[in-house]
Amino acid sequence: ALGILVGLWIFARKAKLPYMWGLDRISIAVPIGGAAIRIGNLMNSEIYGGPTDLPWGFIFVRDGQTVPMHPTQIYEALAYLALFIVMWYLYFQKDAARKQPGLMIGVMLVWLFTARFLIEYVKWNQVAFEDSMLLNMGQILSIPFILAGLALIVWSFVNRQRHPDPVDPVQHSFFYYKNQPKPKSRKK
């Protein structure tokens, strides 16, 4: 995640665009990546919840379980897919990325980490030291991101500056830079 943020910062500087411009747009793709990761966790029988008698409980045989458990990976994947739909709507229907810089990344942070915070209640603790804690480590680590997202949402409403439209969106793509014709060399 840190590498994405650094790469986005480098791109924003090179393309002469505000960093928030990139953050608002990357917030559309992040939920899809998160959902894919959770499906991978499901396939590997990782990070599942406690016992359940609900009809959609999974028996994680690969991990030695014999009773149905909450498939928290599916809960998170569905929350992230719903977030993707909201982000898509905000970007393409409401033009939020341009009209209110910071709103989209703020909504993404609040939604994603609130979902994670709530789903952690039905997950089994991943390490033994969490057993004696009021909130587990996943919940504790989610709180700063929820607060940062709320701050960005408030900031986006207080500071309603519009993002500049790139002169030509094609010029800000990788393919534009890569496929430019090379200048002809002069032969003597």
Tab-separated table of all heavy atoms in Angstrom, residues 148-175:
chain	number	residue	atom	x	y	z
A	148	ALA	N	-9.202	9.570	9.740
A	148	ALA	CA	-8.615	10.287	8.597
A	148	ALA	C	-9.645	10.454	7.486
A	148	ALA	O	-9.734	11.525	6.864
A	148	ALA	CB	-7.389	9.544	8.079
A	149	GLY	N	-10.440	9.416	7.239
A	149	GLY	CA	-11.485	9.512	6.221
A	149	GLY	C	-12.534	10.550	6.575
A	149	GLY	O	-12.956	11.335	5.721
A	150	LEU	N	-12.948	10.581	7.838
A	150	LEU	CA	-13.912	11.596	8.281
A	150	LEU	C	-13.332	12.996	8.126
A	150	LEU	O	-14.030	13.921	7.682
A	150	LEU	CB	-14.324	11.343	9.733
A	150	LEU	CG	-15.198	10.114	9.973
A	150	LEU	CD1	-15.358	9.849	11.471
A	150	LEU	CD2	-16.553	10.276	9.305
A	151	ALA	N	-12.060	13.158	8.477
A	151	ALA	CA	-11.403	14.462	8.325
A	151	ALA	C	-11.363	14.876	6.852
A	151	ALA	O	-11.606	16.049	6.522
A	151	ALA	CB	-9.991	14.412	8.909
A	152	LEU	N	-11.077	13.939	5.963
A	152	LEU	CA	-11.046	14.257	4.529
A	152	LEU	C	-12.435	14.629	4.010
A	152	LEU	O	-12.567	15.525	3.166
A	152	LEU	CB	-10.478	13.085	3.736
A	152	LEU	CG	-8.966	12.942	3.774
A	152	LEU	CD1	-8.540	11.575	3.248
A	152	LEU	CD2	-8.311	14.056	2.974
A	153	ILE	N	-13.461	13.948	4.496
A	153	ILE	CA	-14.828	14.281	4.065
A	153	ILE	C	-15.182	15.694	4.513
A	153	ILE	O	-15.700	16.499	3.726
A	153	ILE	CB	-15.838	13.246	4.601
A	153	ILE	CG1	-15.622	11.903	3.914
A	153	ILE	CG2	-17.272	13.733	4.406
A	153	ILE	CD1	-16.392	10.746	4.538
A	154	VAL	N	-14.908	16.019	5.778
A	154	VAL	CA	-15.186	17.366	6.284
A	154	VAL	C	-14.375	18.387	5.492
A	154	VAL	O	-14.902	19.415	5.057
A	154	VAL	CB	-14.873	17.460	7.802
A	154	VAL	CG1	-14.885	18.903	8.283
A	154	VAL	CG2	-15.848	16.619	8.597
A	155	TRP	N	-13.088	18.085	5.278
A	155	TRP	CA	-12.225	18.992	4.517
A	155	TRP	C	-12.769	19.229	3.110
A	155	TRP	O	-12.731	20.344	2.595
A	155	TRP	CB	-10.807	18.425	4.460
A	155	TRP	CG	-9.851	19.270	3.687
A	155	TRP	CD1	-9.197	20.386	4.113
A	155	TRP	CD2	-9.455	19.074	2.328
A	155	TRP	NE1	-8.405	20.888	3.110
A	155	TRP	CE2	-8.542	20.110	2.008
A	155	TRP	CE3	-9.771	18.124	1.357
A	155	TRP	CZ2	-7.961	20.207	0.753
A	155	TRP	CZ3	-9.177	18.228	0.110
A	155	TRP	CH2	-8.290	19.263	-0.180
A	156	SER	N	-13.294	18.170	2.480
A	156	SER	CA	-13.802	18.312	1.112
A	156	SER	C	-15.020	19.222	1.048
A	156	SER	O	-15.245	19.886	0.041
A	156	SER	CB	-14.127	16.943	0.515
A	156	SER	OG	-15.333	16.437	1.032
A	157	PHE	N	-15.812	19.268	2.121
A	157	PHE	CA	-16.976	20.150	2.131
A	157	PHE	C	-16.591	21.582	2.504
A	157	PHE	O	-17.184	22.533	2.001
A	157	PHE	CB	-18.049	19.626	3.091
A	157	PHE	CG	-18.867	18.524	2.492
A	157	PHE	CD1	-18.583	17.198	2.783
A	157	PHE	CD2	-19.913	18.797	1.631
A	157	PHE	CE1	-19.319	16.170	2.225
A	157	PHE	CE2	-20.668	17.778	1.063
A	157	PHE	CZ	-20.364	16.455	1.360
A	158	VAL	N	-15.614	21.741	3.371
A	158	VAL	CA	-15.175	23.071	3.788
A	158	VAL	C	-14.352	23.729	2.695
A	158	VAL	O	-14.463	24.924	2.439
A	158	VAL	CB	-14.357	22.973	5.104
A	158	VAL	CG1	-13.689	24.296	5.440
A	158	VAL	CG2	-15.245	22.514	6.238
A	159	ASN	N	-13.536	22.955	2.022
A	159	ASN	CA	-12.579	23.455	1.038
A	159	ASN	C	-13.027	23.026	-0.352
A	159	ASN	O	-12.395	22.208	-0.979
A	159	ASN	CB	-11.195	22.884	1.390
A	159	ASN	CG	-10.094	23.583	0.669
A	159	ASN	OD1	-10.299	24.618	0.064
A	159	ASN	ND2	-8.912	23.002	0.739
A	160	ARG	N	-14.098	23.585	-0.839
A	160	ARG	CA	-14.690	23.151	-2.109
A	160	ARG	C	-13.955	23.720	-3.315
A	160	ARG	O	-14.527	24.399	-4.151
A	160	ARG	CB	-16.150	23.551	-2.180
A	160	ARG	CG	-17.045	22.685	-1.381
A	160	ARG	CD	-18.484	23.139	-1.578
A	160	ARG	NE	-19.370	22.199	-0.931
A	160	ARG	CZ	-20.194	21.411	-1.578
A	160	ARG	NH1	-20.277	21.443	-2.875
A	160	ARG	NH2	-20.967	20.586	-0.915
A	161	GLN	N	-12.690	23.444	-3.437
A	161	GLN	CA	-11.949	23.848	-4.625
A	161	GLN	C	-12.081	22.753	-5.674
A	161	GLN	O	-12.128	21.587	-5.346
A	161	GLN	CB	-10.491	24.077	-4.292
A	161	GLN	CG	-9.793	22.839	-3.761
A	161	GLN	CD	-8.383	23.113	-3.347
A	161	GLN	OE1	-7.948	24.245	-3.320
A	161	GLN	NE2	-7.656	22.067	-3.019
A	162	ARG	N	-12.174	23.145	-6.897
A	162	ARG	CA	-12.303	22.157	-7.963
A	162	ARG	C	-10.923	21.731	-8.428
A	162	ARG	O	-10.016	22.531	-8.533
A	162	ARG	CB	-13.086	22.740	-9.127
A	162	ARG	CG	-14.533	23.003	-8.803
A	162	ARG	CD	-15.199	23.723	-9.941
A	162	ARG	NE	-15.420	22.884	-11.078
A	162	ARG	CZ	-16.555	22.246	-11.335
A	162	ARG	NH1	-17.545	22.332	-10.498
A	162	ARG	NH2	-16.686	21.518	-12.408
A	163	HIS	N	-10.809	20.449	-8.721
A	163	HIS	CA	-9.568	19.962	-9.329
A	163	HIS	C	-9.507	20.494	-10.743
A	163	HIS	O	-10.506	20.535	-11.449
A	163	HIS	CB	-9.572	18.427	-9.420
A	163	HIS	CG	-9.054	17.754	-8.200
A	163	HIS	ND1	-7.793	17.941	-7.711
A	163	HIS	CD2	-9.642	16.865	-7.373
A	163	HIS	CE1	-7.616	17.200	-6.642
A	163	HIS	NE2	-8.727	16.547	-6.405
A	164	PRO	N	-8.332	20.854	-11.174
A	164	PRO	CA	-8.226	21.257	-12.581
A	164	PRO	C	-8.397	20.041	-13.477
A	164	PRO	O	-7.999	18.947	-13.126
A	164	PRO	CB	-6.804	21.807	-12.677
A	164	PRO	CG	-6.059	21.127	-11.569
A	164	PRO	CD	-7.066	20.893	-10.475
A	165	ASP	N	-9.048	20.269	-14.594
A	165	ASP	CA	-9.121	19.199	-15.578
A	165	ASP	C	-7.787	19.166	-16.304
A	165	ASP	O	-7.260	20.212	-16.680
A	165	ASP	CB	-10.230	19.471	-16.598
A	165	ASP	CG	-11.604	19.314	-15.999
A	165	ASP	OD1	-11.750	18.482	-15.090
A	165	ASP	OD2	-12.517	20.035	-16.431
A	166	PRO	N	-7.238	17.978	-16.492
A	166	PRO	CA	-5.997	17.923	-17.279
A	166	PRO	C	-6.253	18.491	-18.665
A	166	PRO	O	-7.344	18.354	-19.207
A	166	PRO	CB	-5.683	16.435	-17.348
A	166	PRO	CG	-6.434	15.822	-16.221
A	166	PRO	CD	-7.653	16.678	-16.020
A	167	VAL	N	-5.259	19.135	-19.219
A	167	VAL	CA	-5.393	19.724	-20.551
A	167	VAL	C	-5.840	18.656	-21.534
A	167	VAL	O	-6.761	18.843	-22.299
A	167	VAL	CB	-4.062	20.355	-20.998
A	167	VAL	CG1	-4.185	20.933	-22.393
A	167	VAL	CG2	-3.636	21.408	-20.012
A	168	ASP	N	-5.181	17.522	-21.491
A	168	ASP	CA	-5.537	16.401	-22.340
A	168	ASP	C	-5.318	15.132	-21.522
A	168	ASP	O	-4.175	14.782	-21.241
A	168	ASP	CB	-4.673	16.389	-23.596
A	168	ASP	CG	-5.030	15.261	-24.547
A	168	ASP	OD1	-5.969	14.489	-24.245
A	168	ASP	OD2	-4.369	15.143	-25.594
A	169	PRO	N	-6.401	14.447	-21.116
A	169	PRO	CA	-6.222	13.266	-20.269
A	169	PRO	C	-5.296	12.217	-20.882
A	169	PRO	O	-4.621	11.500	-20.170
A	169	PRO	CB	-7.632	12.714	-20.120
A	169	PRO	CG	-8.544	13.822	-20.473
A	169	PRO	CD	-7.786	14.716	-21.415
A	170	VAL	N	-5.247	12.148	-22.203
A	170	VAL	CA	-4.392	11.159	-22.852
A	170	VAL	C	-2.929	11.449	-22.547
A	170	VAL	O	-2.124	10.549	-22.378
A	170	VAL	CB	-4.652	11.141	-24.374
A	170	VAL	CG1	-3.681	10.223	-25.078
A	170	VAL	CG2	-6.078	10.736	-24.649
A	171	GLN	N	-2.575	12.725	-22.423
A	171	GLN	CA	-1.190	13.084	-22.154
A	171	GLN	C	-0.730	12.610	-20.783
A	171	GLN	O	0.453	12.505	-20.537
A	171	GLN	CB	-1.001	14.591	-22.244
A	171	GLN	CG	-1.083	15.112	-23.655
A	171	GLN	CD	-0.844	16.603	-23.710
A	171	GLN	OE1	-0.727	17.255	-22.690
A	171	GLN	NE2	-0.779	17.140	-24.911
A	172	HIS	N	-1.646	12.338	-19.884
A	172	HIS	CA	-1.280	11.916	-18.540
A	172	HIS	C	-1.272	10.407	-18.383
A	172	HIS	O	-1.238	9.892	-17.291
A	172	HIS	CB	-2.209	12.554	-17.513
A	172	HIS	CG	-2.072	14.033	-17.496
A	172	HIS	ND1	-0.952	14.669	-17.037
A	172	HIS	CD2	-2.900	15.005	-17.937
A	172	HIS	CE1	-1.102	15.971	-17.164
A	172	HIS	NE2	-2.266	16.194	-17.714
A	173	SER	N	-1.307	9.715	-19.490
A	173	SER	CA	-1.274	8.260	-19.411
A	173	SER	C	0.120	7.747	-19.740
A	173	SER	O	0.908	8.403	-20.415
A	173	SER	CB	-2.294	7.635	-20.363
A	173	SER	OG	-1.858	7.754	-21.695
A	174	PHE	N	0.403	6.563	-19.276
A	174	PHE	CA	1.690	5.912	-19.522
A	174	PHE	C	1.926	5.739	-21.018
A	174	PHE	O	3.024	5.933	-21.511
A	174	PHE	CB	1.701	4.562	-18.812
A	174	PHE	CG	2.860	3.689	-19.202
A	174	PHE	CD1	4.131	3.952	-18.716
A	174	PHE	CD2	2.681	2.612	-20.048
A	174	PHE	CE1	5.205	3.156	-19.075
A	174	PHE	CE2	3.746	1.810	-20.401
A	174	PHE	CZ	5.011	2.085	-19.908
A	175	PHE	N	0.862	5.390	-21.749
A	175	PHE	CA	1.019	5.091	-23.160
A	175	PHE	C	1.374	6.335	-23.963
A	175	PHE	O	2.052	6.261	-24.969
A	175	PHE	CB	-0.248	4.439	-23.713
A	175	PHE	CG	-0.536	3.135	-23.050
A	175	PHE	CD1	-1.546	3.025	-22.109
A	175	PHE	CD2	0.234	2.021	-23.320
A	175	PHE	CE1	-1.803	1.819	-21.474
A	175	PHE	CE2	-0.009	0.814	-22.688
A	175	PHE	CZ	-1.028	0.719	-21.774
